[in-house]
Amino acid sequence: MISISRLAAVARKEFLHVIRDWRSLVMAVAIPLLLILLFGYALSLDLKNVPTMVLDRSQTPQSREFISLFQGSPYFEITRFTNDYKEMEQGLDRGDILVGLVIPDDFARCLLAGKDTSIQVLVDGSDANSARLAMNYVSAIGASFSLQVKAMRMQGRHISGNSALVDLRPRTLYNQDLRSQNGIIPGIVAIVMVVIASMLTSVTIAREWETGTMEQLLATPIRVPELLLGKVIPYFVIGMVDVALSVGLGYVLFDVPLRGSTGLVFGLASIFLIGTLFYGLMISIVTKSQVLANQIALLSSFMPSIMLSGFMFAIADMPWLIQKLSYILPARYLIAILRGIYLKGIGLEILLVNAVLLAVYMVLMIVWAHAKMRLVLE
């Protein structure tokens, strides 16, 4: 039976320690602010104003019409026209441009004769992600120009405008503007909890052993559940405050919509937070060293959550083995949940599997930490 008075005493002691250790308290508040600002402003997976050089060997109205599509696009910025192919290669070598367009001299002649023609596109592939995005944008503009040419050809042959062309009207769901912040900010909520929960609680029990206060606790009638819960409660409060800060800043600074239930966000985030808090406690119990516990927490929770949870990189693009390993990361499920609630407005009926897996993770961590904790001198 848990004694509420002993539990409250441990929690009060931990609260006082957090308040007196102003550096930890500042870090607990500053980390979510820093992550929101850094990832929100600095990390962008969009590509705009791609520096582009054009070599127009055709010099015809048709080639200028094609170039105008790039000039009117927000994704490209034509920084230079050249007549020298060598200069374009040097621009790519120096990194001055990312894309080079080479329009052949028979460009207009082929179009007017009803023949297909090709345009050479040079892309700097040293940054694979940017190169892939640039290629997609170029392909989209090329497809648009091809449709215009086909339309002109059909009109020249007096073909009815309703009989041949396929009218493609793509539509993006859930994130119509394709803003990367709409996907990043919900993920930051999970990352913030990983940082706060696992790294702060990973030193709590170890600190008691290193400062010699664990012996004083052992002299009291306190029980393991009372000690663990008392250690967790202050950091649970801090973690939920950080979640509220992250949600609020995401809405105010980056205008990220929260289409689903706010209560569901906090409810499922609290399950993940409890599991992560006990994971940090378990590390602290096992290592009994603040430095070692902090390093293990960093390597085993923060880094995998950043790299393998789908926060920054698509899991589907990862190697098969890494995809399978990502299933053991609870942050993967929380990020999927938060993006679903934020962008799709879906509820628990769709997110039930992920929510159950988070609950299983929470229970496993509680049981594991309880099993590892021994109130005896070693």
Side-chain angles (χ1 to χ4, degrees):
M1 189 68 180
I2 294 178
S3 168
I4 300 299
S5 60
R6 290 198 294 266
L7 172 62
V10 175
R12 180 174 178 274
K13 171 182 174 298
E14 199 64 29
F15 265 121
L16 288 174
H17 175 81
V18 171
I19 293 171
R20 288 170 180 168
D21 185 5
W22 62 270
R23 288 169 297 186
S24 297
L25 190 60
V26 169
M27 189 172 72
V29 177
I31 284 177
L33 292 174
L34 189 62
L35 288 177
I36 286 281
L37 294 175
L38 276 179
F39 283 100
Y41 283 115
L43 178 63
S44 175
L45 303 180
D46 303 329
L47 190 65
K48 291 185 178 179
N49 299 321
V50 175
T52 305
M53 186 182 292
V54 176
L55 172 55
D56 184 4
R57 288 171 172 157
S58 177
Q59 297 291 337
T60 57
Q62 288 78 12
S63 64
R64 287 191 284 274
E65 184 178 350
F66 178 74
I67 295 170
S68 70
L69 295 178
F70 284 83
Q71 292 172 320
S73 168
Y75 302 113
F76 295 93
E77 179 182 3
I78 296 180
T79 57
R80 187 174 176 82
F81 288 87
T82 182
N83 295 318
D84 186 356
Y85 189 84
K86 190 71 176 177
E87 182 182 359
M88 180 175 289
E89 289 182 327
Q90 291 173 347
L92 288 165
D93 291 341
R94 291 193 300 267
D96 295 339
I97 60 171
L98 183 64
V99 173
L101 298 176
V102 182
I103 302 175
D105 51 8
D106 62 348
F107 180 74
R109 191 164 55 252
C110 290
L111 292 180
L112 295 175
K115 299 178 181 177
D116 293 337
T117 183
S118 299
I119 295 174
Q120 185 179 19
V121 180
L122 304 176
V123 180
D124 181 358
S126 57
D127 182 346
N129 187 57
S130 297
R132 190 181 302 115
L133 288 173
M135 288 295 292
N136 290 337
Y137 296 155
V138 170
S139 299
I141 289 180
S144 174
F145 185 76
S146 296
L147 278 179
Q148 293 181 23
V149 172
K150 286 181 181 177
M152 287 188 292
R153 288 177 181 175
M154 292 169 62
Q155 290 169 1
R157 293 174 185 174
H158 307 291
I159 299 174
S160 169
N162 297 325
S163 59
L165 283 180
V166 176
D167 186 15
L168 296 177
R169 298 185 180 183
R171 180 186 175 197
T172 304
L173 300 177
Y174 313 127
N175 186 10
Q176 286 82 356
D177 299 331
L178 292 177
R179 293 178 65 229
S180 56
Q181 281 87 358
N182 288 353
I184 290 173
I185 296 299
I188 290 178
V189 177
I191 301 302
V192 163
M193 282 191 288
V194 169
V195 174
I196 297 300
S198 64
M199 296 188 68
L200 291 185
T201 56
S202 65
V203 299
T204 53
I205 299 295
R207 185 176 56 233
E208 300 284 0
W209 286 109
E210 289 184 354
T211 57
T213 52
M214 182 57 81
E215 286 80 357
Q216 298 174 13
L217 282 173
L218 295 180
T220 68
I222 193 167
R223 301 176 60 199
V224 171
E226 296 161 358
L227 177 61
L228 296 183
L229 284 176
K231 291 288 184 184
V232 160
I233 287 174
Y235 297 103
F236 178 79
V237 173
I238 293 173
M240 294 310 293
V241 169
D242 286 337
V243 172
L245 274 175
S246 302
V247 172
L249 288 174
Y251 180 76
V252 172
L253 295 181
F254 302 102
D255 197 25
V256 177
L258 176 52
R259 299 192 176 99
S261 166
T262 306
L264 196 57
V265 168
F266 281 88
L268 295 177
S270 66
I271 294 175
F272 175 79
L273 181 60
I274 293 171
T276 310
L277 286 169
F278 276 92
Y279 174 70
L281 269 184
M282 189 269 298
I283 295 175
S284 190
I285 293 167
V286 172
T287 60
K288 294 185 174 62
S289 165
Q290 294 187 64
V291 175
L292 181 60
N294 221 315
Q295 290 175 343
I296 292 177
L298 178 68
L299 292 176
S300 64
S301 58
F302 178 63
M303 293 302 294
S305 298
I306 287 280
M307 303 299 293
L308 306 179
S309 64
F311 168 61
M312 290 184 65
F313 308 107
I315 294 175
D317 293 339
M318 297 176 185
W320 177 85
L321 181 60
I322 301 299
Q323 289 186 36
K324 299 305 176 187
L325 285 175
S326 70
Y327 282 108
I328 65 175
L329 291 176
R332 168 185 174 141
Y333 306 108
L334 182 65
I335 289 174
I337 286 172
L338 292 176
R339 284 177 176 165
I341 298 173
Y342 259 85
L343 301 179
K344 301 178 183 178
I346 56 181
L348 198 58
E349 67 280 3
I350 298 176
L351 301 170
L352 185 60
V353 173
N354 286 340
V356 169
L357 290 172
L358 282 185
V360 170
Y361 163 70
M362 178 187 70
V363 172
L364 283 177
M365 290 301 107
I366 293 174
V367 172
W368 198 359
H370 188 277
K372 288 292 181 182
M373 188 68 204
R374 294 283 187 273
L375 293 180
V376 292
L377 287 175
E378 297 177 356

